[in-house]
Amino acid sequence: LKELRGPLVDASLVWLATPLTTVRFLARSSLDETTVADSPGIASQRATLEVRHDLRRNLSVTAAASLYENDYRGVLLKETGFSGSLRLDYRLNRMLALRASYTHERLKSTSSGSDSMANIYLLGLRLQR
């Protein structure tokens, strides 16, 4: 297999738009392993924009959108995708929070029949120290 090379980026930019609103931009690239024959690995890039607003002292809503690309080196396979999400956090106290989220994901692939779409709903309890 050929050597897997490429620049790596892991950056974030945070803007406190108001005392209640935070905007984040995240950019990341990575070189990952794969099980695809004749490919030494995947060069991945992802960019995310996230906006969080505190509705109350213990209630926040977060909206996010991500674009990503996976390039399987050494073979003719490339994936591009989009995800959008909405999350609601209700903090019961300093250590315990309820979280509800919805995520919509789309994936387009150069491999025929490999495109996908998913709607994900999650409800959970978060414990932090």
Side-chain angles (χ1 to χ4, degrees):
L1 294 175
K2 292 182 180 178
E3 202 172 283
L4 185 61
R5 290 182 170 196
L8 297 178
V9 174
D10 194 356
S12 66
L13 181 62
V14 179
W15 174 43
L16 299 174
T18 70
L20 301 175
T21 304
T22 304
V23 179
R24 286 190 176 107
F25 175 73
L26 308 156
R28 181 178 194 155
S29 63
S30 63
L31 300 174
D32 303 312
E33 296 177 353
T34 182
T35 58
V36 173
D38 298 326
S39 176
I42 308 166
S44 300
Q45 291 85 35
R46 176 179 288 269
T48 302
L49 182 64
E50 179 182 284
V51 179
R52 176 184 164 166
H53 183 73
D54 292 331
L55 300 170
R56 301 185 60 115
R57 180 180 50 82
N58 62 341
L59 181 64
S60 65
V61 63
T62 304
S66 293
L67 295 172
Y68 62 90
E69 179 180 89
N70 298 324
D71 183 10
Y72 290 75
R73 298 286 170 89
V75 295
L76 296 174
L77 178 58
K78 191 177 276 193
E79 299 170 335
T80 56
F82 165 80
S83 72
S85 66
L86 191 60
R87 183 177 74 221
L88 191 64
D89 288 305
Y90 181 72
R91 290 176 294 286
L92 301 169
N93 56 42
R94 292 178 63 192
M95 294 179 54
L96 195 59
L98 292 173
R99 176 176 282 181
S101 67
Y102 165 73
T103 303
H104 176 78
E105 294 180 349
R106 289 182 182 258
L107 174 76
K108 289 192 72 133
S109 176
T110 56
S111 175
S112 64
S114 295
D115 295 353
S116 67
M117 183 186 74
N119 291 303
I120 303 162
Y121 301 89
L122 297 172
L123 182 61
L125 191 60
R126 183 174 181 191
L127 179 64
Q128 62 187 32
R129 293 178 60 155

